[in-house]
């Protein structure tokens, strides 16, 4: 890290030495404590102080930042997490996912979990309709879960959650309805299949301070249409990811930087008629066929 302030800051002056002394004193105050804690806190202080020096932060700007964080705190509840949203729009969530689950050769890429995952979603059987009455065109989703050598992974837990055609998740409805979410277990051949609804693009919650942040930058709050998946299986790294809809107009400006090319797939459109599972549909329907590849867990057990 550079000691040299940019944009006309003091270089090699008494002012620069005084600024440096503050940083050194605070860094030293975190010298005790567990090793990882020390590493995190000293790194945070160094980078935070370097930021303030680099941009020559004013007290008025500092006040504004504190006001912003206070608003994030006030709007956060059990069901609304403005700080995660802030991390998401700053790209910190995507960066952290990429650091912690570095791409493993041949495995499906991960992306952000987002705020709408629910741990105790209902269980379904293979082939079930998980839509729970969510508005939207029926969508048949199927594929296989394998390891990086192409061997099937039977018995994997697959959690699925998505918005309805209006871009709303069930947790955003009034009244506790559960819709377009659930989990199932891959079959003996590693295969999976279920019905839900065709996903739609939607805005992240933009009526709070994070929405103001985006508006001030002229940034879109939109996310491209996607279905969320979380795959958990003994011996494999848990995969949290989305499958995005090819052709969506928001693929290039996802508000939370979650899109990866390998996660974009065709949700093909079909006229009324027979679906792959024999069901006859009286209206148009869509289909996603997507295979997931799991990386061995950190110990390489698989
Ligand atoms: C989501 O995809 O559900 C999501 C992710 C980050 C922020 C808001 C929503
Ligand atoms: Fe989502």
């Amino acid at each position: 890290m550079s000691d040299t302030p940019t944009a006309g800051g003091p270089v090699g002056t008494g002012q620069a030495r005084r600024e440096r002394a503050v940083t050194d004193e605070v860094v030293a105050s975190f010298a005790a404590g567990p090793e990882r804690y020390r590493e995190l806190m000293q790194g945070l202080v160094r980078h935070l102080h370097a930021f303030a020096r680099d941009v020559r932060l004013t007290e008025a700007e500092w006040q504004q930042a504190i006001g912003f964080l206070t608003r994030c705190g006030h709007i956060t509840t059990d069901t609304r997490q403005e700080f995660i949203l802030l991390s998401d729009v700053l790209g910190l969530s995507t960066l952290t996912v990429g650091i912690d689950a570095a791409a493993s050769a041949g495995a499906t890429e991960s992306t952000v979990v987002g705020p709408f995952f629910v741990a105790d979603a209902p269980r379904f059987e293979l082939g079930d309709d998980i839509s729970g009455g969510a508005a939207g065109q029926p969508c048949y989703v199927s594929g296989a879960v394998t390891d990086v050598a192409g061997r099937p992974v039977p018995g994997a837990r697959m959690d699925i959650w998505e918005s309805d055609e209006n871009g709303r998740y069930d947790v955003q409805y009034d009244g506790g309805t559960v819709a377009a979410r659930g989990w199932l277990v891959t079959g003996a051949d590693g295969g999976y299949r279920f019905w839900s609804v065709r996903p739609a693009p939607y805005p992240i919650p933009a009526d709070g301070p994070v929405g103001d942040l985006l508006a001030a930058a002229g940034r879109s709050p939109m996310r491209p249409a996607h279905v969320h998946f979380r795959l958990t299986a003994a011996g494999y790294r848990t995969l949290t990811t989305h499958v995005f809809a090819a052709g969506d107009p928001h693929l290039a400006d996802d508000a939370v930087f979650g899109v990866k090319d390998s996660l974009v797939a065709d949700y093909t459109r079909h006229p009324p008629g027979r679906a792959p599972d024999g069901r006859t549909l009286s209206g148009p329907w869509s289909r996603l066929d997507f295979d997931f590849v799991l990386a061995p867990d950190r110990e390489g057990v698989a």
Side-chain angles (χ1 to χ4, degrees):
M1 176 169 318
S2 163
D3 279 331
T4 310
T6 56
V11 182
T13 62
Q15 173 70 17
R17 274 192 298 279
R18 279 192 293 279
E19 290 175 11
R20 190 73 240 178
V22 176
T23 303
D24 290 346
E25 191 180 349
V26 182
V27 167
S29 77
F30 285 105
E35 189 183 337
R36 181 65 176 154
Y37 174 73
R38 184 172 70 235
E39 186 179 5
L40 290 170
M41 291 311 298
Q42 291 188 331
L44 177 67
V45 169
R46 283 196 192 96
H47 286 268
L48 205 54
H49 285 214
F51 161 74
R53 283 195 299 272
D54 282 354
V55 301
R56 307 311 300 160
L57 189 68
T58 68
E59 277 199 73
E61 290 161 344
W62 176 88
Q63 278 290 358
Q64 221 178 329
I66 296 296
F68 174 84
L69 293 173
T70 304
R71 286 177 63 211
C72 289
H74 285 164
I75 205 169
T76 294
T77 65
D78 285 351
T79 53
R80 172 152 189 175
Q81 233 303 353
E82 198 76 358
F83 290 103
I84 292 184
L85 211 55
L86 178 59
S87 164
D88 292 341
V89 303
L90 293 178
L92 180 61
S93 309
T94 289
L95 181 65
T96 305
V97 165
I99 292 168
D100 196 43
S104 178
T108 303
E109 291 189 277
S110 46
T111 190
V112 294
V113 61
F116 300 126
F117 173 71
V118 171
D120 59 352
R123 174 161 184 187
F124 290 92
E125 299 304 322
L126 289 172
D128 279 353
D129 182 348
I130 72 162
S131 66
Q137 183 182 90
C139 184
Y140 184 71
V141 184
S142 61
V145 180
T146 69
D147 67 10
V148 291
R151 292 176 298 222
V153 179
R157 173 175 169 145
M158 172 182 279
D159 276 274
I160 306 131
W161 68 105
E162 63 161 327
S163 70
D164 63 20
E165 71 176 358
N166 302 310
R168 284 167 65 79
Y169 283 80
D170 56 359
V171 293
Q172 297 174 299
Y173 303 161
D174 294 328
T177 309
V178 178
R181 83 168 60 243
W183 62 279
L184 45 79
V185 173
T186 56
D189 59 354
Y192 76 91
R193 55 195 179 276
F194 63 90
W195 283 94
S196 191
V197 294
R198 186 180 177 89
Y202 63 85
I204 63 168
D207 56 344
V210 170
D212 295 346
L213 187 88
L214 293 182
R219 272 176 56 182
S220 162
M222 295 301 291
R223 296 215 67 207
H226 58 272
V227 177
H228 293 256
F229 294 88
R230 172 171 283 184
L231 280 149
T232 320
Y236 297 91
R237 198 189 287 172
T238 294
L239 172 68
T240 304
T241 195
H242 311 353
V243 180
F244 295 94
D248 188 287
H250 300 289
L251 286 171
D253 67 350
D254 180 10
V256 305
F257 308 97
V259 178
K260 295 174 181 175
D261 289 349
S262 66
L263 301 178
V264 179
D266 283 328
Y267 287 74
T268 53
R269 294 180 186 273
H270 301 270
R274 252 173 123 72
D277 65 346
R279 180 174 161 185
T280 300
L281 288 107
S282 57
W285 56 284
S286 291
R287 178 175 188 182
L288 170 68
D289 197 4
F290 195 87
D291 295 337
F292 295 92
V293 180
L294 299 185
D297 71 12
R298 286 170 207 274
E299 288 77 46
V301 172

